[in-house]
Amino acid sequence: MTLDGFDSERSARITSVDWAALAEDESKRLQALGVDEGAEVAIMHRGIFGTRDPIALRLGNMTIAIRRAHAAAITVEAV
Amino acid sequence: MSRKYTAALVGNPNSGKSALFNALTGARQKIANYAGVTVERKAGRLILPSGEPVELLDLPGSYSFDAASPDEAVTRDVVKGTFDGEAVPDVLVIVIDAANLEQHLVFAQEVLELGRPTVVALNMVDLAERDGLTLDPAALSEALGVPVVPTVAVRRRGISELLAAIAEAETHADEEAHKRWHLTLPERRLSAKHIARGTILSKSTRHSIENGVDKVLLNPWIGPVILFGLLFIIFQAVFAWATPFADALEGGVGILSEATTDLVPAGIVRDFLTEGVLEGVGSVVVFLPQIVILFAFILIMEASGYMARAAFLMDRLMAGVGLSGKSFIPLLSSFACAIPGIMATRSISDPKDRLTTILIAPLMTCSARLPVYAVIIAAVIPRTTIGPGIGLQGLVLFALYVAGIVGAMVVALVLRSTVTKGAASGFIMELPRYQLPRLKDLAIGLWQRAWVFLRRAGTIIFVATIALWVLLSFPKADPGESQLDASFAGAVADALHPVLEPVGFNREMSLALVPAIAAREVAVSALATTYAVDAEDEDVAAEGVTEKIAALWSLPTALAFLAWFVFAPQCLSTIAVARRETNGWKWPTVMVVYLFALAWLAAGATHWIAVSLGL
């Protein structure tokens, strides 16, 4: 299942990321931040309005804001 | 030993690098640009225990040498010594957030691979302790093979130890670099995990405060309410608190002008000094109090970590027009003045996003429009109330602000699907940890912003106002003839008038627009001059001119004039700054053309609709 549909405040392990679906500099930025295969993340907050975009991820000791479109390219499994 | 050594701070964004830079260099800082790019170059001087001065560079925060933004490219090239015109730093100081070792060690290892003399500052150890972490700096130092100094930049803890370590590293500056084995990103991440594990002695399960605070501030319902409440307070402050200071500055310019009048004999030179230099530059400098107040709020929002949350909350709205939450900060600044707003776009990494934001920044109602709005509204809109506490005049003013914002959104949407077309920009941003801003860092930041603004007023704006003064002052009028009529500017106005007449402007209005190109609020005094109101001061002139306008202008004409000012690029300095930030005349030209076209259409539509409604 992809990260955008995953429950909030539940740990998930990233099993794969569809880098081809993302722009090159976005891929670079996400990898630099540690959003990559094997990382454990949890959705902590979701944005306003109907689309609930963007989302705030917890990764280690960091909070990272990404768009739902990015989360849709990230496949996760429950930990 | 005559060689002057240099050092550079490198580290991830949000590692407390700037606070450490302030602690090491104090107020001895110089801000400029790196040659050929609009990336800020911050340099200062630190004094080693031996008394030897070292130039310290604060490199832009970076996640990786595999740069994803122009800022990161500068950091990489300077550190590797491949940046033209920058000497490679003799000592590198890697700044690491002690509470975020696993992440910050990834980039730190990449820097260490270069094998340059390096010191690691294990910064913000107090916040790590707050989160329940106990760290072993000696273990970290052993794992990395370089000295590690625990610091708390904001409390000056560990600063003298760090200086001693820099002095020691400097003695190896002239040795050959011992390049280390290159690791790939996954390898570095794995090794960062191991090193972090070895450094963390104990970890209590205490939760960081971020999650709890963010539950409120990022709440889909409460979050926006708090943000807009804060924005409301900021606007109140910018417009109310700044007034006494602006009046004092204006008074000061007046005193200088009088002194000049007394000292310099009447003639061209005196006119040049008083009407050209003092009035021109003075009309821009009076915005300094508003800019300082606005930046005080912006710096507090940034230093506390709230600004990234504001960007998070605004992202959805901005995404609707093809931008991202990162454009929110520059656009907010533009409500005081588009000049600092356009300069603030440097924080937007996506070039097309940045360009779009620069192009729409002039549509945010800057404070220079306020005097024009105030005079015209007072003249033609009745002082009636249309509900409890809601005056018609205030409502019109509010509508003008909204018109600017809506205009900007529509323009952004159009630009993103035409000239700045490209993939929808993303929004990837670290939300930093909350921190109490420190007064000294705030003061240094404010001083720097104010100085950059004043320097601009002293150069670009100075030249622009002088050029305009020449246009307005020559050729000299015959006795009995108005100077404005006789001048080159008058001739320009005559040429303009046929274009402006269809949208309801009279000749006086066309004439007033010419000097208003230097600064919008000059339109008021220009109108006053044309209506032969005998007053030098803008406020006094405003009183006289209000009555004249009330008597002479029809309502559709006055409304058209207001609509014009919502869109018209009536400010040479903004155009000059846009040229500098986009490295050429192409985009400023696009900006000027589209803004004039919009202004003309808006004024015309307002006029025609008002006339057909029988107003």
Side-chain angles (χ1 to χ4, degrees):
Chain A
M1 113 180 277
T2 55
L3 181 61
D4 62 322
F6 203 76
D7 296 344
S8 288
E9 299 195 41
R10 251 186 80 199
S11 284
R13 184 178 297 112
I14 299 177
T15 53
S16 70
V17 182
D18 181 9
W19 297 117
L22 302 169
E24 196 198 338
D25 57 332
E26 290 179 355
S27 299
K28 275 187 193 175
R29 176 58 35 98
L30 285 174
Q31 285 176 13
L33 284 164
V35 180
D36 207 342
E37 266 173 51
E40 267 183 41
V41 295
I43 294 177
M44 301 312 285
H45 312 279
R46 289 176 190 265
I48 34 178
F49 303 121
T51 59
R52 311 276 352 237
D53 210 6
I55 57 182
L57 285 184
R58 191 86 190 148
L59 194 165
N61 217 346
M62 276 194 303
T63 313
I64 301 164
I66 63 171
R67 289 253 178 92
R68 279 194 69 167
H70 304 133
I74 299 172
T75 309
V76 293
E77 61 182 17
V79 176
Chain B
M1 74 131 256
S2 56
R3 169 154 140 70
K4 260 196 90 177
Y5 287 94
T6 57
L9 295 183
V10 278
N12 282 40
N14 307 313
S15 56
K17 215 161 43 66
S18 296
L20 190 62
F21 184 71
N22 287 344
L24 287 168
T25 63
R28 295 181 293 261
Q29 302 182 3
K30 253 170 69 186
I31 296 192
N33 270 354
Y34 287 97
V37 284
T38 45
V39 173
E40 211 160 70
R41 182 187 190 276
K42 257 171 90 180
R45 218 146 60 102
L46 62 79
I47 309 290
L48 293 181
S50 63
E52 181 198 336
V54 170
E55 191 192 41
L56 182 69
L57 214 52
D58 184 13
L59 290 170
S62 197
Y63 291 106
S64 162
F65 282 155
D66 190 8
S69 73
D71 287 40
E72 289 187 327
V74 166
T75 300
R76 177 195 61 208
D77 295 345
V78 172
V79 168
K80 291 193 167 178
T82 55
F83 196 99
D84 266 347
E86 282 300 328
V88 58
D90 295 306
V91 177
L92 297 175
V93 181
I94 303 176
V95 189
I96 289 179
D97 174 5
N100 211 350
L101 280 178
E102 219 182 291
Q103 166 66 17
H104 286 210
L105 282 173
V106 177
F107 180 52
Q109 291 180 91
E110 202 173 9
V111 177
L112 284 168
E113 279 175 12
L114 300 173
R116 310 273 320 155
T118 306
V119 177
V120 168
L122 190 59
N123 200 23
M124 306 199 280
V125 281
D126 57 333
L127 288 189
E129 283 159 16
R130 186 183 80 184
D131 288 353
L133 289 173
T134 316
L135 301 173
D136 181 1
L140 184 61
S141 172
E142 191 161 322
L144 296 177
V146 293
V148 172
V149 182
T151 53
V152 181
V154 293
R155 295 215 195 96
R156 299 196 55 84
R157 246 169 70 189
I159 298 301
S160 52
E161 291 87 342
L162 184 60
L163 287 172
I166 293 172
E168 156 62 23
E170 193 195 274
T171 60
H172 303 291
D174 296 318
E175 292 170 14
E176 188 83 14
H178 305 287
K179 284 213 169 143
R180 298 188 185 184
W181 187 254
H182 176 68
L183 299 177
T184 63
L185 177 60
E187 286 166 351
R188 281 201 305 276
R189 190 168 299 129
L190 199 65
S191 135
K193 197 175 241 174
H194 280 298
I195 299 173
R197 226 172 259 161
T199 306
I200 297 170
L201 292 176
S202 72
K203 192 175 179 179
S204 74
T205 48
R206 220 180 314 165
H207 276 289
S208 61
I209 60 163
E210 272 66 34
N211 195 24
V213 178
D214 278 341
K215 271 209 160 57
V216 179
L217 293 183
L218 294 185
N219 180 290
W221 302 105
I222 309 166
V225 173
I226 294 174
L227 176 59
F228 284 104
L230 184 66
L231 291 182
F232 181 78
I233 293 171
I234 294 176
F235 272 74
Q236 281 294 317
V238 166
F239 291 113
W241 302 354
T243 313
F245 298 103
D247 288 348
L249 271 177
E250 218 168 317
V253 172
I255 291 167
L256 272 181
S257 181
E258 271 169 37
T260 313
T261 311
D262 290 343
L263 288 171
V264 183
I268 288 270
V269 177
R270 183 164 92 185
D271 287 352
F272 170 75
L273 288 175
T274 54
E275 292 169 16
V277 177
L278 284 172
E279 210 166 295
V281 175
S283 67
V284 181
V285 170
V286 291
F287 293 108
L288 186 63
Q290 287 186 328
I291 288 173
V292 167
I293 292 175
L294 183 76
F295 272 116
F297 279 103
I298 288 178
L299 286 172
I300 293 171
M301 282 165 78
E302 272 175 356
S304 63
Y306 183 70
M307 195 55 105
R309 272 77 184 178
F312 182 92
L313 291 170
M314 294 302 288
D315 180 62
R316 183 66 201 89
L317 221 57
M318 309 296 281
V321 295
L323 294 173
S324 87
K326 286 188 177 174
S327 295
F328 170 69
I329 304 163
L331 293 179
L332 177 64
S333 305
S334 300
F335 279 100
C337 175
I339 296 167
I342 288 174
M343 292 196 288
T345 58
R346 291 175 180 189
S347 61
I348 303 171
S349 45
D350 184 289
K352 283 176 175 164
D353 254 24
R354 174 159 186 254
L355 184 58
T356 312
T357 311
I358 290 176
L359 291 175
I360 64 169
L363 286 173
M364 300 296 119
T365 303
C366 71
S367 52
R369 287 173 172 98
L370 208 56
V372 182
Y373 288 171
V375 167
I376 311 290
I377 289 175
V380 297
I381 308 290
R383 285 183 76 95
T384 49
T385 54
I386 49 160
I390 305 170
L392 187 60
Q393 291 188 337
L395 200 66
V396 171
L397 184 65
F398 181 71
L400 292 170
Y401 272 82
V402 172
I405 297 170
V406 171
M409 295 297 121
V410 172
V411 170
L413 208 55
V414 173
L415 288 174
R416 282 305 257 151
S417 53
T418 54
V419 287
T420 58
K421 194 175 179 151
S425 55
F427 176 66
I428 299 170
M429 195 177 187
E430 189 183 341
L431 303 182
R433 299 137 57 73
Y434 288 107
Q435 240 180 318
L436 215 55
R438 214 177 51 114
L439 207 59
K440 190 184 165 196
D441 292 333
L442 209 64
I444 291 176
L446 267 185
W447 162 247
Q448 286 167 349
R449 308 286 166 138
W451 178 240
V452 166
F453 177 77
L454 284 176
R455 201 170 52 191
R456 193 119 314 146
T459 52
I460 302 171
I461 300 175
F462 181 75
V463 172
T465 49
I466 302 295
L468 199 74
W469 176 79
V470 170
L471 284 181
L472 284 165
S473 307
F474 300 97
K476 284 289 170 204
D478 297 324
E481 194 189 3
S482 140
Q483 174 58 39
L484 201 50
D485 270 336
S487 66
F488 293 121
V492 173
D494 285 335
L496 273 180
H497 190 53
V499 183
L500 294 169
E501 205 175 10
V503 299
F505 283 21
N506 54 41
R507 187 169 174 281
E508 289 76 16
M509 290 158 70
S510 305
L511 205 55
L513 293 185
V514 180
I517 286 172
R520 292 179 176 85
E521 70 281 13
V522 180
V524 174
S525 52
L527 279 173
T529 320
T530 347
Y531 283 125
V533 177
D534 190 24
E536 288 273 285
D537 186 74
E538 272 173 36
D539 290 334
V540 183
E543 276 171 37
V545 84
T546 304
E547 285 146 31
K548 290 278 184 185
I549 290 171
L552 293 172
W553 292 16
S554 68
L555 184 57
T557 293
L559 292 177
F561 197 64
L562 288 175
W564 172 272
F565 269 93
V566 170
F567 298 102
Q570 295 281 28
C571 173
L572 274 183
S573 348
T574 302
I575 299 164
V577 170
R579 195 209 75 83
R580 221 183 72 125
E581 297 292 314
T582 57
N583 286 324
W585 281 112
K586 183 184 170 192
W587 294 110
T589 309
V590 169
M591 185 166 101
V592 168
V593 169
Y594 101 75
L595 284 174
F596 270 131
L598 268 185
W600 192 85
L601 286 172
T606 310
H607 183 76
W608 303 320
I609 291 169
V611 168
S612 64
L613 289 175
L615 291 173

